[in-house]
Amino acid sequence: MSQAFAHEEVVVRRGSRSGLPLIVAVHSRALGPAVGGCRLRRYDSRQDGLADALRLSEAMTYKAAVAGLDFGGGKSVIALDKETELTAGLREAALEDLGELIASFQGSYRTGPDIGTGPQDMVVLRRFSPYAYCAPEEHGGTGNSGGPTATGVLAALHAGARHVFGDASCTGRTVVISGFGSVGSGIAADLAAEGAHVVVSDVEQSRRDAALSSGYGWVEPDQALSTPADILVPAAVGGVLDAATVPRLTAPLVVGPANNQLTEESVADALAERGIVWIPDYVASAGGIVYALSRESENHSHEAAQKRVEGIGDTVGHVLDLARSTGVTPLRAAQQIAERRLTSAASPVRGD
């Protein structure tokens, strides 16, 4: 991805009801309306919130392009400072403010849950715009996207295993999963059922008992990257792979749903130099958006949408084959695939 941001549209507004800073960043509409989740979190400064929106919206452009979706990339952020108490009333007011802002895009920016928001929050946004995906099923949405995201990661993981080990099966392999939330726990359950030795880690110590009672191993967060493993699955926060952590890795395959795993693109070269295959996060984590858009925007059945999610394995195979044949990193191969679609795309669209 480019080092300089070249976004089509960025709107920063203070909510009239909440008084909180709202940011909508649209990176590209070259392939279709921009789509990207709504993030509600605390930042040290409004500038940090803006930087987050810019970076994540660019990643969404590449995620949609590589996944073969006819959508562009965007992101919305409700930025809290460290002193603001997020009461239920303030939360609803902020979501109403954002819903009003999203409605002003007339369908050219569409959202869904992200860090700090969930399906119920999409119900509030839908008071103003129909373009809020993953609301609860009783409200016409597809609900929590954790299941499809986990399915997509597993498809990517098996494709990566075939490339690295010559066999897609994870039976008998040690898999360390860093992050035991809804997506990480789903991945863990499926891998354990397959016969993998699963070791998990999470900053929330309360999840330790649940992990142990499920029969998984447990390591502290500061040991997760260096724990001997065949496969490492980053499933929590981003920014975990940098010049200091790459030398500590033991797993020859790294693939997971956490966004922005690399602190900078040069880390992809450092991973390759160590012989570690890293599946770009925006390729592996596309299952949630592929499923939601297939169901809610393109009216596919559950079975058809699930099949598209499982197709992420084919996408990963294509990325890894291109990387191997051309001598580039998987990151650069994924970028090339996305950039070919973006370059050949029609003029940007607004709305449907």
Side-chain angles (χ1 to χ4, degrees):
M1 283 177 274
S2 63
Q3 294 300 308
F5 293 116
H7 290 67
E8 287 189 20
E9 187 173 5
V10 179
V11 178
V12 181
R13 179 182 298 177
R14 183 171 293 278
S16 61
R17 301 168 183 80
S18 66
L20 294 176
L22 313 173
I23 303 160
V24 173
V26 173
H27 178 258
S28 172
R29 300 186 185 98
L31 294 171
V35 64
C38 165
R39 179 165 291 199
L40 192 163
R41 60 164 292 191
R42 298 185 186 277
Y43 294 93
D44 290 334
S45 69
R46 184 186 302 183
Q47 288 71 27
D48 289 339
L50 175 59
D52 212 16
L54 292 172
R55 181 174 60 252
L56 291 166
S57 61
E58 184 177 19
M60 284 302 303
T61 293
Y62 281 77
K63 176 181 287 191
V66 175
L69 299 172
D70 294 326
F71 287 86
K75 206 73 175 182
S76 52
V77 167
I78 301 172
L80 299 171
D81 60 34
K82 293 188 175 181
E83 287 73 38
T84 300
E85 180 184 359
L86 185 63
T87 63
L90 181 59
R91 181 189 189 90
E92 183 166 2
L95 290 166
E96 289 182 340
D97 287 335
L98 182 63
E100 188 174 70
L101 177 55
I102 291 171
S104 72
F105 283 82
Q106 300 179 341
S108 72
Y109 166 67
R110 308 173 183 195
T111 195
D114 194 78
I115 291 174
T117 62
Q120 285 296 144
D121 297 313
M122 299 303 104
V123 177
V124 180
L125 297 181
R126 283 189 173 199
R127 297 173 190 167
F128 300 85
S129 169
Y131 299 115
Y133 300 123
C134 299
E137 291 185 21
E138 60 267 27
H139 290 276
T142 51
N144 192 306
S145 63
T149 299
T151 297
V153 171
L154 286 163
L157 187 150
H158 287 121
R162 183 181 295 108
H163 180 89
V164 173
F165 306 116
D167 184 353
S169 173
C170 290
T171 302
R173 301 199 187 281
T174 298
V175 183
V176 172
I177 302 174
S178 178
F180 195 57
S182 61
V183 178
S185 59
I187 295 169
D190 281 356
L191 288 173
E194 187 180 336
H197 173 53
V198 176
V199 178
V200 303
S201 177
D202 199 284
V203 295
E204 295 289 339
Q205 285 293 312
S206 61
R207 294 173 176 169
R208 183 176 186 273
D209 290 342
L212 293 176
S213 65
S214 297
Y216 310 140
W218 175 270
V219 293
E220 294 304 316
D222 60 353
Q223 300 172 2
L225 299 185
S226 57
T227 297
D230 298 298
I231 304 168
L232 172 66
V233 179
V237 298
V240 295
L241 300 177
D242 57 25
T245 57
V246 167
R248 296 172 50 206
L249 299 179
T250 63
L253 174 61
V254 179
V255 51
N259 292 320
N260 297 322
Q261 293 169 23
L262 309 186
T263 55
E264 54 185 327
E265 289 191 7
S266 62
V267 178
D269 298 308
L271 287 163
E273 289 169 3
R274 287 208 57 211
I276 297 171
V277 173
W278 175 72
I279 310 299
D281 41 47
Y282 60 81
V283 179
S285 66
I289 187 173
V290 168
Y291 184 84
L293 293 175
S294 296
R295 293 292 312 280
E296 298 189 41
S297 181
E298 300 175 359
N299 298 314
H300 289 298
S301 66
H302 165 73
E303 291 75 17
Q306 191 79 349
K307 187 173 181 179
R308 290 186 73 183
V309 172
E310 292 167 356
I312 288 173
D314 294 332
T315 301
V316 168
H318 179 36
V319 168
L320 295 178
D321 287 345
L322 179 61
R324 177 177 284 171
S325 65
T326 59
V328 300
T329 65
L331 175 61
R332 185 59 196 139
Q335 289 171 342
Q336 289 173 354
I337 293 168
E339 287 162 2
R340 279 199 292 269
R341 283 202 73 207
L342 292 165
T343 300
S344 62
S347 300
V349 300
R350 191 167 181 88
D352 285 328

